[in-house]
Amino acid sequence: MKKTIVVYGSSTGTCEAIAQKIANKLGVECINVADLSADIVADAENLLLGTSTWGAGELQDDWYDGIDVLKSADLSGKTVALFGCGDAESYPDTFCGAMAELYQAVESAGATVVGAVSTDGYTFDDSEAVVNGQFVGLALDDVNEYDKTDDRIASWLESIQQQL
């Protein structure tokens, strides 16, 4: 596998724990987005980016500076996969919507985005992170569907591993 890093933004620890789980399964480094720099982005060939969703579909706070780092980077030739944490029961109309901002930032910076996930099996009303009937990355509701998290991660990683 090419040089891969997992980058997360987490306020309550949920997204951090999921990012650590993903990094451990891949045997790669996991860093907080607050520590993200242009040099780290330049050094990695694959980026797995995770965020929690807040309020009306907003990014986790630390990601706002991280988005600036991504937008200023040349991501041409890099592969990016996204994962997001949300609460489909309390926020069914913005479930994992923050992934959409990450998606738009990396796509406009030239990255190849992989790892779209079917909305089948999810219960929610709407999400900005759904494009052409699929989430732009792995959507997780570790609050209400924690029993599905491990299987969803394993399935997603299996689907993207050959592209990393």
Side-chain angles (χ1 to χ4, degrees), residues 18-91:
I18 287 168
Q20 290 287 350
K21 194 176 287 192
I22 290 168
N24 289 342
K25 287 183 180 288
L26 293 174
V28 301
E29 183 181 7
C30 184
I31 66 167
N32 189 317
V33 68
D35 300 322
L36 188 64
S37 68
D39 290 340
I40 291 171
V41 172
D43 191 42
E45 295 175 76
N46 301 316
L47 301 163
L48 279 66
L49 309 175
T51 185
S52 48
T53 298
W54 292 91
E58 286 96 29
L59 281 169
Q60 188 273 341
D61 289 341
D62 296 328
W63 263 113
Y64 288 100
D65 288 337
I67 286 280
D68 290 340
V69 171
L70 294 174
K71 285 181 176 178
S72 66
D74 177 9
L75 299 182
S76 300
K78 297 189 185 291
T79 300
V80 173
L82 306 172
F83 61 97
C85 302
D87 180 343
E89 195 171 292
S90 298
Y91 301 96

Side-chain angles (χ1 to χ4, degrees), residues 101-145:
E101 281 195 65
L102 291 180
Y103 176 76
Q104 291 161 2
V106 298
E107 191 176 60
S108 66
T112 298
V113 182
V114 300
V117 173
S118 171
T119 59
D120 294 346
Y122 289 88
T123 303
F124 67 103
D125 294 336
D126 194 20
S127 176
E128 292 290 318
V130 174
V131 175
N132 297 326
Q134 294 189 305
F135 287 108
V136 295
L138 175 62
L140 297 168
D141 183 347
D142 204 52
V143 175
N144 303 297
E145 295 183 334

